[in-house]
Amino acid sequence: MTACAIETTAEDDGRDGEHPGRGARPAEFTTGLTITANGAYAARLAGDGDALYVERWTLDGPEPYAVPLPLDQPEEPGTQLLPLADGRVLVARRVDGRRTTFSLLYPTGPATGELRLGAVEAPGSERLVLLPPSPDGICAYALCVGPDTTTLWLVAGGVFGPEQVAEVKGRCAGGVWLDRTGRMLALDRRLDDGPVKAVAVDLERGGEVTPLLQITEDSDDRLLLADPDSGLLLIRSDAPSPGHDRLGWGVLGSLLPVRFPECLRLDDAAVTPFAVQPGQVLMPETCAVALRIDAAGGSWVGTWQPMARRMGQLAAPVGWLAGAGLWTAGGVLRLPYATPGAPCGLADVEAPPEPEPEAVATAGASAGTSAGVGAAVGEPRMCRPVPLQQAPLTDGKPAG
C-alpha cells in the first residue's frame, strides 16, 4: 500500500503537544512526490525558483523514468498534484485567492496536453486540499474546509466536472481510504471546540458519517494510515498520555485494544508512518510499516512490524523525497529519490528481519482472534469504534 502524509488543515489550532520529539503530534509531513494507490505512477513539481513544472514518474516498468509536463506558464509553488492510474496528472491551482481550478495534464508527443475540468469556489477563510489518490485510480477528491462545515468534492472522474458529493459537520483534515473500491473514506474531524475523532464517510450513501475511532472521550484520535488487506490501522492519539500524542496501531472493526508500542517513541525525533505492506490478508501483525523519522540532524527511515519489539532504522538514500515510498507485496520497500546525476530513481530496502519465534506465535494467536471481524477483501467493512480498553502503554509482546 502506498500512502503519503497530508498537510494539516483548519483543525490544527495549536492545542496539541509542544515538542515533536516526545509524543507531541507533529504536522503530518508533506512529501514532494505523490504516488498512485497501485504504485504505477507518481507526480511532483520539478524545476527551481520561478520555473516550476509538473513531472510525472513511471514506476512499474523495468526502470523508473520521468516525463516533464511543462506548460507555457510555470506552476506556482502551492500547486497541488495528484497522479491517476491512466498516467494523467491532476493539477489544482489556486487563483484569485478563493477559486481553485482543476486540469488534467498528459504527454502528447513533444508537447503537453491539458484538459480543463472546471473550478471550485472556496469563499472566505475556507481552503481546498486534495485527498490522497483514490484506490480506484480514476476518481480524485478534495476537501473544502470551512469554520463549521467540511465539503467533499469529486474533482476528477465525474461526468460534468467538479461536483459536491458530501457535506460533513465540523472541521476535517487527513483523509485515509479504508477499502479498495474508493467507497469508505476516513477523516479526522473536530466538532466546535471538542477533541479530534476519526470518522468514516460512506460515499455510496450520500456521505453518511459514522464513528470510526473512539479511544477515550476526551482524547484526540487521528487515523494516519489503513491497509484494506489486513485491516491494520496506524493511529496518533494522546489517550495514553494526555497532551502528548503517541503512535499506535489497531485493527479495523476489531474490539481488541489499541496498542502504543514504546519502540515507536524516540527522543527528539518525530516518527510518522507513510507506507504499509499490502497483501497480508487478515494478518495485521505481519504487515511491514515504513516510517519517516525527522530530527534536527535530518530525516531517515524506520521499519517496523506490529509483532516486533523493535523498530529498525536505516539511512535514507541520497536525494530521498522524504515521506514518499511504497511496499511491494513481497516485502520490499521502494524509496524514490532524485539527484543531479539520477533525477528519477528508486532504492530498494530489505524487509524487516524476522521477529522472534515467540513473538510470531503470540501474534498468530492474536490474529486468529481478530480475523473474523472484518469483511472479505473488496467488500465494505463495518466501521466500528476502536476502544482503548486495557491497552498496555509500555513495551510488551506482541505490541512491541
Side-chain angles (χ1 to χ4, degrees):
M1 177 181 179
T2 301
C4 295
I6 306 303
E7 183 179 357
T8 52
T9 58
E11 58 89 10
D12 298 303
D13 55 12
R15 297 190 302 164
D16 299 310
E18 71 283 351
H19 194 288
R22 284 299 293 175
R25 186 184 64 82
E28 304 308 346
F29 300 104
T30 57
T31 175
L33 188 77
T34 302
I35 308 174
T36 56
N38 65 359
Y41 293 100
R44 69 166 184 152
L45 281 180
D48 297 308
D50 296 329
L52 299 178
Y53 59 91
V54 177
E55 185 178 75
R56 188 199 71 187
W57 290 26
T58 299
L59 303 178
D60 61 349
E63 296 289 338
Y65 65 92
V67 175
L69 298 174
L71 295 173
D72 294 336
Q73 296 291 326
E75 301 291 347
E76 296 291 332
T79 298
Q80 300 179 70
L81 306 179
L82 198 73
L84 302 182
D86 60 7
R88 296 182 295 176
V89 178
L90 175 71
V91 180
R93 304 180 180 97
R94 182 84 165 182
V95 296
D96 301 329
R98 55 183 290 132
R99 187 164 58 99
T100 300
T101 63
F102 301 93
S103 298
L104 288 173
L105 302 187
Y106 52 93
T108 57
T112 299
E114 181 177 18
L115 175 63
R116 297 183 179 181
L117 302 177
V120 172
E121 296 283 342
S125 60
E126 295 186 8
R127 55 173 302 184
L128 187 140
V129 182
L130 289 179
L131 289 174
S134 172
D136 64 11
I138 300 171
C139 298
Y141 295 87
L143 287 182
C144 190
V145 185
D148 302 304
T149 304
T150 300
T151 53
L152 179 64
W153 289 80
L154 174 65
V155 296
V159 179
F160 303 108
E163 58 182 279
Q164 183 176 322
V165 295
E167 183 174 285
V168 180
K169 184 180 179 182
R171 303 186 304 280
C172 296
V176 175
W177 295 101
L178 299 175
D179 62 3
R180 294 204 176 279
T181 66
R183 171 181 175 177
M184 300 300 298
L185 173 69
L187 296 174
D188 299 328
R189 179 176 71 168
R190 189 190 298 279
L191 292 173
D192 300 322
D193 292 326
V196 177
K197 300 294 182 185
V199 297
V201 181
D202 191 335
L203 301 185
E204 289 190 3
R205 292 190 176 183
E208 179 182 87
V209 177
T210 56
L212 177 65
L213 192 60
Q214 173 79 17
I215 299 182
T216 69
E217 185 176 347
D218 298 324
S219 58
D220 287 325
D221 307 320
R222 294 173 173 88
L223 181 63
L224 304 184
L225 287 181
D227 176 59
D229 293 338
S230 64
L232 178 65
L233 305 178
L234 277 300
I235 295 157
R236 197 182 296 282
S237 173
D238 64 352
S241 51
H244 299 275
D245 282 2
R246 294 277 301 273
L247 189 61
W249 68 280
V251 180
L252 183 64
S254 173
L255 296 179
L256 295 176
V258 175
R259 308 281 177 156
F260 294 92
E262 191 69 23
C263 66
L264 297 183
R265 302 182 70 189
L266 297 180
D267 291 331
D268 301 319
V271 181
T272 306
F274 64 87
V276 180
Q277 180 186 1
Q280 306 298 99
V281 179
L282 300 178
M283 298 178 64
E285 291 86 353
T286 66
C287 284
V289 178
L291 307 117
R292 171 177 170 171
I293 304 173
D294 290 88
S299 300
W300 62 97
V301 180
T303 59
W304 169 79
Q305 290 174 291
M307 68 170 58
R309 300 191 62 185
R310 295 181 296 273
M311 175 178 63
Q313 299 184 47
L314 59 148
V318 175
W320 178 43
L321 300 173
L326 60 97
W327 286 101
T328 67
V332 176
L333 178 59
R334 315 200 75 189
L335 299 175
Y337 65 91
T339 65
C344 176
L346 280 176
D348 290 348
V349 177
E350 294 182 3
E354 292 294 329
E356 300 86 349
E358 181 181 355
V360 174
T362 306
S366 176
T369 301
S370 61
V373 300
V377 176
E379 297 179 1
R381 294 177 181 268
M382 182 63 68
C383 293
R384 291 180 285 178
V386 182
L388 180 61
Q389 294 181 359
Q390 301 298 317
L393 305 183
T394 58
D395 200 4
K397 297 185 179 70

